[in-house]
Amino acid sequence: MSNAATVQAIYEAFGAGDVPTILGHVSDDVQWESWADNSAANAGLVWMRGRQGKDGVLEFLGSVADWKFEQFDVVDLLESPTKVAAEMEITYVLPDGTRVQDQEVHLWSFDEAGRVTRFRHYLDTAKHTKAHLGAKV
């Protein structure tokens, strides 16, 4: 399976709520949103907090479990030997009714066995922070 096919399978599993399939594609020591000075995480956005390992992926999935996704479209996938970039169009509604619509890039890194070793969102952090703080987006 190519790395791009793995990313597509992860997105399909996410849409179906199939957590075991997602975890089956990540390495035991995966780095999830782990990057220095993440302004969204610093502002308190739980879903953007850095995490490690499969337990960290479970924490991330739990942090978005009560969102209602209206749109979760993969626009395109770009692949190199060790990375996949996914251009995304996403719309979700938070439990308080705040609707967030964004264009994002997800960057996936892989080891030689085809397991995800790192994942990071690139998104409009100001928009997501406003939504988190209850302001209209």
Side-chain angles (χ1 to χ4, degrees), residues 10 58 62 97:
I10 291 170
L58 285 171

Side-chain angles (χ1 to χ4, degrees), residues 65-99:
D66 58 356
W67 296 5
K68 179 185 175 205
F69 284 88
E70 294 178 346
Q71 178 186 25
F72 192 87
D73 294 336
V74 179
V75 176
D76 202 359
L77 297 174
L78 306 171
E79 183 176 25
S80 77
T82 60
K83 296 192 186 308
V84 173
E87 181 184 1
M88 307 292 295
E89 291 187 1
I90 298 174
T91 304
Y92 60 88
V93 180
L94 295 173
D96 69 0
T98 301
R99 188 172 182 268

Side-chain angles (χ1 to χ4, degrees), residues 5-63:
T6 298
V7 168
Q8 188 63 45
I10 291 170
Y11 288 137
E12 289 170 7
F14 179 78
D18 183 357
V19 174
T21 294
I22 295 169
L23 295 178
H25 288 295
V26 302
S27 67
D28 290 338
D29 59 350
V30 64
Q31 300 295 305
W32 202 269
E33 296 297 349
S34 295
W35 47 290
D37 202 23
N38 177 338
S39 62
N42 293 343
L45 277 67
V46 176
W47 58 94
M48 293 295 294
R49 184 180 326 142
R51 296 174 168 87
Q52 291 77 40
K54 292 184 179 191
D55 287 342
V57 176
L58 285 171
E59 288 174 13
F60 166 78
L61 294 171
S63 74

